[in-house]
Amino acid sequence: MNNRKPFISGNWKMNKTIAEAVDLVKQLRNSLDGINYADVLVCPTFTALFNVADALSGSSIMLGAQNVHWENSGAFTGEISIPMLKEIGTKYVIIGHSERRTHFKETNEMLNKKLIAIIKAGINPIFCIGETLNEREKNETETVLEKQLREGLINIGVNEINKITIAYEPVWAIGTGKNATPAQANETHAFIRGLIGKLYNKDIAQNIRIQYGGSVTADNCKELINTGEIDGFLVGGASLKPDSFTKIVQSSQK
Ligand code: PGA
């Protein structure tokens, strides 16, 4: 068994009004406050962050955001900066989710700027990588992941990489109800860990946490987490309901 503490994150995407978000975290506090076998994070929309931070006061559940700009301020209409997130108490930011890459054309170069700025500011990124169905079918999974990692991690050294959590999210599994099989996920996670070992060193590779994301549910989580290489989850749909998210967190107890 490894020493990596399981890490379960809820990516709420563009869901929940402020009132609904506060209601959800209140319910999550009832079931998850004070657990010590896993790190638990919720990532609401920007508009709900402030109120959710307030509702999480004194809780072990941590607060994250779904995106951020790399500049501290300026003429970037519609964007949110790192100091704004820090002021609210945001501990993590999801970077490079496939929906950001696909719908909003975020490139590896942009994601690299974001990662560097976030780490410099003392916040922890969850860096998402993943292949499309077409790429998997063409046997390009490893090439695609290697490019995303190499280009995303440019100028991020041994002292910075330990701030990053990687989320492996096969694009074909996100929101489709079609999760990667435990064997597929385990094999890909092992590949990613091996690559981190090559880019950095064995110690770093052993310690870095790699979440799996893509149609994780209360029913399939146990089998996935038991594979050994999966250190937790980035959960979309199933994180919107207190019962299923709680069960997913509980499944990670070693
Ligand atoms: P899903 O989303 O759990 O709804 O598939 C996962 C994600 O996009 O992070």
Side-chain angles (χ1 to χ4, degrees):
M1 206 191 294
N2 61 65
N3 291 326
R4 298 183 295 271
K5 189 176 185 183
F7 182 16
I8 320 293
S9 311
N11 172 13
W12 295 0
K13 308 194 180 183
M14 197 173 70
N15 295 293
K16 306 277 178 198
T17 61
I18 295 173
E20 289 166 348
V22 167
D23 185 54
L24 176 53
V25 284
K26 280 189 180 155
Q27 295 190 61
L28 290 175
R29 287 197 68 164
N30 286 335
S31 54
L32 295 173
D33 247 359
I35 63 155
N36 56 16
Y37 55 81
D39 289 331
V40 181
L41 176 78
V42 291
C43 303
T45 59
F46 287 132
T47 52
L49 277 178
F50 184 82
N51 297 68
V52 170
D54 196 39
L56 283 178
S57 168
S59 172
S60 56
I61 301 172
M62 298 181 290
L63 183 70
Q66 299 172 19
N67 183 29
V68 76
H69 197 277
W70 58 86
E71 293 289 347
N72 279 344
S73 63
F76 299 99
T77 302
E79 291 291 323
I80 299 282
S81 76
I82 296 166
M84 294 169 189
L85 293 185
K86 279 188 84 169
E87 189 182 26
I88 297 176
T90 312
K91 297 272 184 290
Y92 282 84
V93 189
I94 300 171
I95 291 299
H97 189 281
S98 72
E99 287 149 19
R100 302 278 340 151
R101 292 177 188 260
T102 308
H103 304 311
F104 304 99
K105 307 291 172 245
E106 293 194 8
T107 62
N108 290 335
E109 195 188 345
M110 291 159 77
L111 303 177
N112 178 243
K113 282 190 200 164
K114 292 185 184 203
L115 290 173
I116 289 172
I118 292 166
I119 294 169
K120 201 165 157 209
I123 300 185
N124 304 291
I126 296 177
F127 180 37
C128 303
I129 56 173
E131 81 288 359
T132 63
L133 183 60
N134 187 29
E135 288 160 348
R136 181 161 276 267
E137 283 174 352
K138 286 200 289 186
N139 258 333
E140 289 171 3
T141 300
E142 294 187 354
T143 321
V144 169
L145 298 178
E146 179 157 354
K147 185 172 162 67
Q148 289 173 342
L149 276 177
R150 279 187 187 275
E151 293 182 7
L153 298 178
I154 287 172
N155 290 332
I156 294 175
V158 285
N159 295 324
E160 287 95 43
I161 183 71
N162 59 359
K163 303 287 185 302
I164 295 183
T165 298
I166 294 174
Y168 168 58
E169 297 206 305
V171 180
W172 49 272
I174 295 176
T176 58
K178 210 172 132 185
N179 62 289
T181 64
Q184 274 173 329
N186 200 53
E187 188 190 5
T188 313
H189 278 228
F191 167 76
I192 294 166
R193 198 176 301 287
L195 190 60
I196 294 293
K198 269 195 249 162
L199 293 175
Y200 296 91
N201 61 52
K202 277 218 169 100
D203 259 13
I204 286 172
Q206 263 316 303
N207 289 321
I208 198 163
R209 291 189 291 189
I210 309 177
Q211 297 178 322
Y212 167 78
S215 297
V216 174
T217 65
D219 295 326
N220 62 22
C221 56
K222 191 76 196 167
E223 216 189 345
L224 286 161
I225 199 105
N226 281 346
T227 56
E229 280 293 342
I230 295 175
D231 304 316
F233 301 112
L234 181 56
V235 188
S239 71
L240 298 173
K241 296 193 194 86
D243 287 0
S244 49
F245 190 64
T246 297
K247 280 195 190 128
I248 293 169
V249 172
Q250 288 168 343
S251 79
S252 72
Q253 190 162 15
K254 286 185 183 170

